[in-house]
Amino acid sequence: MSNNPSPDIPPHPDEINGLVHHFIERYDFWQADGCAAAREYLLTCYARIDGHYEQLRAWAEHMEQARQLAASFMQSSAYHDLVLNGIAPDGIVDWGAAGCVSALRGAILALAVDGWASVDAAADWISAQYPDQTPEKYGCRTWRQVIHESRRFDLRYRDEDCRKQAWYQERTKVQKVGR
C-alpha cells in the first residue's frame, strides 16, 4: 500500500531529492542537448507542481465554501433549535437534549419538596426563568404533556385544597420510546 494519500499528490521523495539536490549532477550543462533536457525536465516538474497547486487551491476554495455554509447554518433558527432545544429541522424532538427538559430539571432543583415539584409551580418558574421554553415549541399543549412525552419524569397527582394537583420528579431510569 502506498503512503501517497492520492495518486495526484506529489512524486516520490527520491524524485524531489533528485530535483533539489542532484539536478546539476544529472544534466550536462556544457552541451546544448543537456541544457534542453534539463529545461524539458524543469517544465515537466513545473507543470506537475502547478497542477498540484491548482488542486490544493480548489480544495481550499471548497473548504471555505463549507466553512461559510456551516457558519450560515449556525446562525439559523434551525441550528438554534437543534442545539439548544433538541428540535431537529424535521420537527422531531430529541427529548434528552430538549431545552424544556433542562428547564423542568432546573425547576425541580429550585422547587422540589421531598424530590417532587408541582407542575403548576414549575410552569410559573420556567416562564420567569426561561420564557422561550414553552410546551407549544415542542408540539405539546401543556407541561403535563411535555412531562409525559419526554419520558424523563414521573407524574403523580395529589389532592390539595379539594383539587387534584400534578407533581413530577425525575425518573431514575429513562424509558425507551416505543415501549
Side-chain angles (χ1 to χ4, degrees):
M1 181 171 167
S2 170
N3 290 336
N4 203 354
S6 166
D8 298 333
I9 299 298
H12 192 275
D14 289 341
E15 190 174 349
I16 294 170
N17 285 336
L19 178 62
V20 173
H21 301 292
H22 306 291
F23 178 71
I24 293 178
E25 298 168 1
R26 184 177 291 169
Y27 298 98
D28 182 5
F29 290 100
W30 298 107
Q31 301 293 321
D33 289 346
C35 289
R39 180 182 184 277
E40 199 57 41
Y41 177 72
L42 288 175
L43 289 174
T44 301
C45 288
Y46 176 78
R48 187 170 39 248
I49 291 167
D50 190 51
H52 293 308
Y53 170 78
E54 287 301 319
Q55 185 178 27
L56 290 171
R57 190 187 59 70
W59 288 350
E61 283 179 10
H62 290 131
M63 286 174 51
E64 177 59 20
Q65 289 171 356
R67 187 199 63 75
Q68 288 175 0
L69 287 171
S72 174
F73 177 62
M74 288 179 190
Q75 299 298 319
S76 72
S77 61
Y79 178 80
H80 181 267
D81 277 344
L82 179 64
V83 173
L84 297 179
N85 298 317
I87 304 170
D90 63 2
I92 294 175
V93 177
D94 175 3
W95 292 106
C100 64
V101 170
S102 295
L104 285 164
R105 287 182 179 129
I108 289 174
L109 292 174
L111 306 171
V113 176
D114 295 328
W116 291 86
S118 162
V119 173
D120 292 338
D124 293 341
W125 186 87
I126 292 169
S127 292
Q129 300 296 318
Y130 304 101
D132 60 323
Q133 294 298 323
T134 63
E136 295 78 16
K137 181 181 279 195
Y138 299 91
C140 298
R141 292 187 308 162
T142 65
W143 282 106
R144 285 190 309 273
Q145 186 180 1
V146 169
I147 289 167
H148 174 74
E149 294 290 331
S150 73
R151 301 180 190 270
R152 300 295 193 268
F153 304 98
D154 291 319
L155 185 64
R156 299 257 165 88
Y157 292 91
R158 298 179 184 172
D159 287 323
E160 291 183 3
D161 300 327
C162 298
R163 92 178 234 245
K164 283 191 170 191
Q165 293 281 345
W167 290 72
Y168 74 104
Q169 72 174 1
E170 190 162 9
R171 281 194 177 136
T172 54
K173 194 173 190 179
V174 176
Q175 287 183 343
K176 300 273 184 191
V177 175
R179 287 189 176 190

